[in-house]
Amino acid sequence: MKILAGAGTYVATTSGHWAEHLKVPDLSCGTYSLPAGGSDPQSPHTEDELYIVTRGRATSWTPRGSAPMRPGAVAFVPAGEEHRFVDIVEDFAAVVVFGPAEYARAEEDRSTR
């Protein structure tokens, strides 16, 4: 067992902040922080993602729809789907779990070329 100290803790910045807490072949986990009024520069990932909100309020946006996010909310974003957080009205933090580990599929794609 490994305790992921600091997972879900907001980090104050003027833009987004990513802190990776764990990376093994089948998954990775980190905390994504965005300040109130900020913007989310994310682009689609090659892995599936779970977002577990630990602090703040924002709206999760995808081309297929949007949903309010606040502490306790959980969102699944499939690999390749465009997504971002908008309308960040309170400093926002979420634990993010990638399956498999973040960039694992991108690394696989490069190794088969």
Side-chain angles (χ1 to χ4, degrees), residues 3-11 19-21 29-33 54 93-95:
I3 303 301
L4 306 180
T9 302
Y10 175 78
V11 174
E20 186 172 74
H21 306 298
C29 175
T31 300
Y32 190 47
S33 300
T54 59
V95 171

Side-chain angles (χ1 to χ4, degrees), residues 52-78:
I52 303 119
V53 179
T54 59
R55 176 179 171 166
R57 291 187 306 133
T59 299
S60 177
W61 175 91
T62 73
R64 296 186 297 163
S66 60
M69 302 293 289
R70 49 187 40 99
V74 178
F76 170 72
V77 178

Side-chain angles (χ1 to χ4, degrees), residues 78-90:
E81 183 170 68
E82 185 181 357
H83 64 286
R84 69 185 52 86
F85 293 102
V86 297
D87 302 326
I88 305 162
V89 296
E90 291 178 8

